[in-house]
Amino acid sequence: YKASRFSPLMSVVRHTVITLPTPVNISTWWNFGSLLGVCLAIQIFSGLVLSLHFTAHTDLSFYVVIQSFGDVYYNWWFRALHANGASFFFIGLYLHVARGMYYGSYVFKEVWSVGVVILLLVMASAFLGYVLPWGQMSFWGATVITSLFSALPIIGGDVVIWLWGGFSVDNATLTRFFGLHFLLPFTVAGLAGLHLFFLHDQGSSNPLGVSSDYNKVVFHHYYVLKDLVGVCFFVGPLLGLVYFNPWLLGDPENFIEGNPLVTPHHIQPEWYFLFAYAILRAVPNKLGGVVALAVAVLILLYMPFSPQTAIKGLSFYPWGKALFFSLIGVFILLTWAGAKPVEEPYVVVSQVLSFLYFSYFLLIGPLTRIQDKLL
């Protein structure tokens, strides 16, 4: 009788965070789902506060952002939290994706596909938000990235003009970027709910890659407390960065107002886009570079359709583990290469690393299948 008194909404919450059956052997690597939820909440809340004092206009945006530091009570804190929160959001995203690749979570096709869409939307929202302060790197980053669409055959030029809202990156571009940056996080939140729905419908994976249907515990209080500890370890460094060195991860060029007549010596995006930027620059052909840039992320959608192994995940595949950790190294080196100028030897290094990056997705399936046959 008491259970029937729960409203439908409270019933959903109860089954999601209290009575949800959860595998008893999942490790700390499964904490990043809840951490990403916390990051999303931080970004939405701090973004809403910042939007109250922002003016989307090319003549005003840069000065409004600077002026609000001193004139609006604690606005500097929300700005630093929002900027650094984006970096921590991507750290969590990349680790979450890496855990899914290592432990074979991509076999849950619906969960994985929605997760990749969330990753794409978060990347789009981060790019749009980076343009809003209208600093030098913001302006030229928007110009370079939107110009990539001109590589599309036939319609490329029209697409770029449509994105700009004119014949250059100007006030119309900034206005629509602000609107999209405001709306996309709520879309991400809705997709995160769908992601959780599919996850709870299909069940979580576990480090051993075996069925855990007969060995589960309720989510609360076992994993609620575990996730809260993870949140403390994750949010602690974020607040430390906000209070002690808030602009450590920023680009000094972005403290100069955007000027279409002065091109920065080296245009580069934020660190979390550098791996894709290095892949883009590694291809001499413009259209080929755009395709490689898109495929660098979209190739994650191929994972559920890659050759499946006898045991889910790579825990029991030494060759597969070696290849996976090689991919992690390649990813880090691509991030390093993307921050370097477009000159030798960095171009050749980026080309080699890009080849190794894409090779992983082609080799991991056959390599683990060979080991299955040997065993």
Side-chain angles (χ1 to χ4, degrees):
Y1 171 72
K2 290 183 178 179
S4 65
R5 296 174 59 186
F6 283 105
S7 68
L9 179 59
M10 289 304 298
S11 180
V12 170
V13 173
R14 183 167 174 267
H15 290 302
T16 300
V17 297
I18 298 177
T19 62
L20 176 71
T22 310
V24 72
N25 64 330
I26 58 176
S27 65
T28 305
W29 290 109
W30 271 257
N31 276 42
F32 285 97
S34 59
L35 291 176
L36 289 172
V38 171
C39 285
L40 180 60
I42 290 173
Q43 292 303 97
I44 290 177
F45 175 69
S46 59
L48 284 172
V49 173
L50 292 174
S51 69
L52 299 175
H53 307 285
F54 181 76
T55 304
H57 194 285
T58 54
D59 294 334
L60 301 173
S61 295
F62 182 79
Y63 297 102
V64 166
V65 170
I66 297 298
Q67 186 181 23
S68 64
F69 281 1
D71 292 355
V72 181
Y73 191 62
Y74 260 82
N75 192 266
W76 68 268
W77 187 83
F78 285 104
R79 171 78 194 284
L81 181 68
H82 196 68
N84 291 296
S87 291
F88 276 71
F89 201 167
F90 274 96
I91 291 172
L93 274 172
Y94 291 151
L95 290 174
H96 194 55
V97 172
R99 191 270 300 166
M101 293 172 62
Y102 184 83
Y103 289 112
S105 299
Y106 50 80
V107 297
F108 304 124
K109 294 181 181 180
E110 292 85 357
V111 180
W112 183 262
S113 300
V114 174
V116 174
V117 174
I118 291 173
L119 174 63
L120 290 169
L121 289 181
V122 171
M123 294 178 83
S125 183
F127 164 69
L128 295 171
Y130 190 61
V131 178
L132 299 184
W134 207 246
Q136 270 287 75
M137 203 57 69
S138 296
F139 171 80
W140 285 102
T143 302
V144 170
I145 299 301
T146 53
S147 296
L148 294 177
F149 288 93
S150 64
L152 296 174
I154 303 174
I155 63 170
D158 294 330
V159 170
V160 172
I161 292 175
W162 177 76
L163 286 172
W164 287 346
F167 295 100
S168 65
V169 175
D170 210 334
N171 196 56
T173 317
L174 183 61
T175 303
R176 60 185 56 188
F177 276 23
F178 175 60
L180 286 172
H181 182 67
F182 189 91
L183 293 174
L184 278 180
F186 297 101
T187 306
V188 170
L191 286 173
L194 184 62
H195 188 63
L196 284 174
F197 171 78
F198 284 129
L199 176 65
H200 294 168
D201 180 59
Q202 298 177 359
S204 297
S205 58
N206 61 80
L208 295 178
V210 297
S211 176
S212 56
D213 291 340
Y214 304 104
N215 195 14
K216 292 186 176 182
V217 294
V218 292
F219 192 80
H220 180 75
H221 54 86
Y222 296 100
Y223 288 109
V224 168
L225 294 177
K226 184 168 175 285
D227 284 352
L228 286 176
V229 173
V231 168
C232 292
F233 277 101
F234 200 72
V235 174
L238 170 60
L239 293 178
L241 198 60
V242 167
Y243 281 112
F244 295 106
N245 201 346
W247 313 122
L248 175 66
L249 302 176
D251 195 310
E253 288 279 354
N254 232 29
F255 289 88
I256 304 172
E257 186 181 8
N259 187 348
L261 301 179
V262 180
T263 307
H265 176 67
H266 177 48
I267 301 173
Q268 68 180 57
E270 288 286 80
W271 71 265
Y272 38 79
F273 292 143
L274 287 175
F275 83 97
Y277 190 56
I279 293 173
L280 167 70
R281 300 187 317 181
V283 181
N285 179 269
K286 186 175 182 179
L287 178 59
V290 172
V291 171
L293 171 66
V295 174
V297 181
L298 292 176
I299 199 169
L300 293 173
L301 292 172
Y302 162 75
M303 295 297 290
F305 305 98
S306 61
Q308 300 302 315
T309 55
I311 304 174
K312 187 167 61 177
L314 300 175
S315 298
F316 300 99
Y317 294 93
W319 299 346
K321 285 199 287 188
L323 194 61
F324 174 81
F325 287 112
S326 297
L327 174 68
I328 300 299
V330 167
F331 182 90
I332 294 172
L333 289 174
L334 277 171
T335 301
W336 166 79
K340 298 300 180 181
V342 188
E343 59 187 34
E344 299 299 341
Y346 304 117
V347 174
V348 174
V349 170
S350 297
Q351 290 172 344
V352 173
L353 292 172
S354 300
F355 174 78
L356 295 174
Y357 176 85
F358 290 113
S359 297
Y360 170 84
F361 297 94
L362 299 177
L363 294 176
I364 189 64
L367 191 65
T368 49
R369 290 294 294 273
I370 290 173
Q371 187 166 340
D372 280 339
K373 292 180 179 180
L374 293 175
L375 295 175

